[in-house]
Amino acid sequence: MLGDSLSAAYGLRVEQGWVALLQKRLESQGYGYRVVNASVSGETSDGGLQRLPRALDLHKPAIVILELGANDALRGLPLNRTQANLQRMVRQAKRTGAQVVLLGMRIPPNYGPKYTAQFHNMYRDLAKAEKLRLVPFFLEQVALRDDLMQPDGLHPNGTAQPILLDTLWPELRPVLGKNK
């Protein structure tokens, strides 16, 4: 798992986060995977691109779940750079034999309709070009619900974490293969 604060359990105990819940679900369903959470709060695609080669070498993952780009957009970074970084990460992971699942994001409309739409479409376009499983908007079920968000309005709370896992599961399940 390579992501930002949404996957690093920001504001929560690590065991409350959706990534820890993923490990529990995999174990309970008989999958022999070990989940490594290489997510860092505040991470951008630049940082992920720098950290990924070491993580791939160290952990040799069968599957890489990639959840980055939101912090790039919140900083107003050029989308072509973000997309290029994400594509390079996808290709690096695929070269090691890992399958990639991409978690897409949306951003608030205050960046303008063109940038907002281009940002959202960036994930779809990358998934299509690289033949990836895609969750179009990872926060789809929680983003507009105050009862599922922390007071900052950006990060899902503990109650939202199982919902995030359920949002990912339909796209992750097909790449898991048979229960080991």
Side-chain angles (χ1 to χ4, degrees):
M1 177 62 235
L2 185 67
D4 55 30
S5 57
L6 299 175
S7 299
Y10 176 86
L12 305 171
R13 294 185 322 274
V14 173
E15 63 271 12
Q16 285 181 286
W18 74 264
V19 178
L21 298 177
L22 171 61
Q23 180 68 65
K24 289 179 184 174
R25 181 176 290 181
L26 291 170
E27 289 169 1
S28 73
Q29 293 191 15
Y31 290 100
Y33 292 98
R34 177 178 60 96
V35 178
V36 175
N37 193 350
S39 301
V40 175
S41 291
E43 187 72 282
T44 62
S45 66
D46 286 334
L49 182 60
Q50 290 174 353
R51 290 187 315 106
L52 182 61
R54 183 173 186 278
L56 291 171
D57 187 52
L58 185 63
H59 302 292
K60 303 193 181 347
I63 300 167
V64 172
I65 303 169
L66 185 58
E67 179 268 311
L68 286 171
N71 289 317
D72 296 50
L74 293 174
R75 293 176 180 146
L77 299 176
L79 293 179
N80 60 346
R81 181 167 115 197
T82 303
Q83 185 165 356
N85 286 345
L86 291 171
Q87 187 165 43
R88 286 176 65 194
M89 285 184 270
V90 165
R91 290 180 176 174
Q92 285 176 11
K94 287 169 83 174
R95 273 196 300 275
T96 69
Q99 297 183 74
V100 179
V101 177
L102 185 62
L103 303 184
M105 290 300 302
R106 285 186 147 331
I107 55 170
N110 54 311
Y111 287 88
K114 183 178 177 185
Y115 187 89
T116 302
Q118 287 175 338
F119 177 79
H120 179 65
N121 292 337
M122 169 183 73
Y123 293 98
R124 181 202 63 215
D125 295 346
L126 179 59
K128 184 177 179 183
E130 295 294 332
K131 298 176 178 52
L132 306 174
R133 303 295 301 201
L134 171 68
V135 175
F137 180 32
F138 185 47
L139 301 181
E140 177 87 33
Q141 303 300 316
V142 303
L144 297 178
R145 292 192 45 193
D146 290 340
D147 62 319
L148 296 176
M149 299 299 285
Q150 294 182 39
D152 66 8
L154 297 173
H155 297 94
N157 63 26
T159 305
Q161 299 302 305
I163 298 168
L164 294 176
L165 176 55
D166 289 343
T167 300
L168 163 66
W169 192 251
E171 295 302 324
L172 179 61
R173 174 63 190 89
V175 302
L176 293 174
K178 300 214 182 289
N179 300 30
K180 311 253 179 200

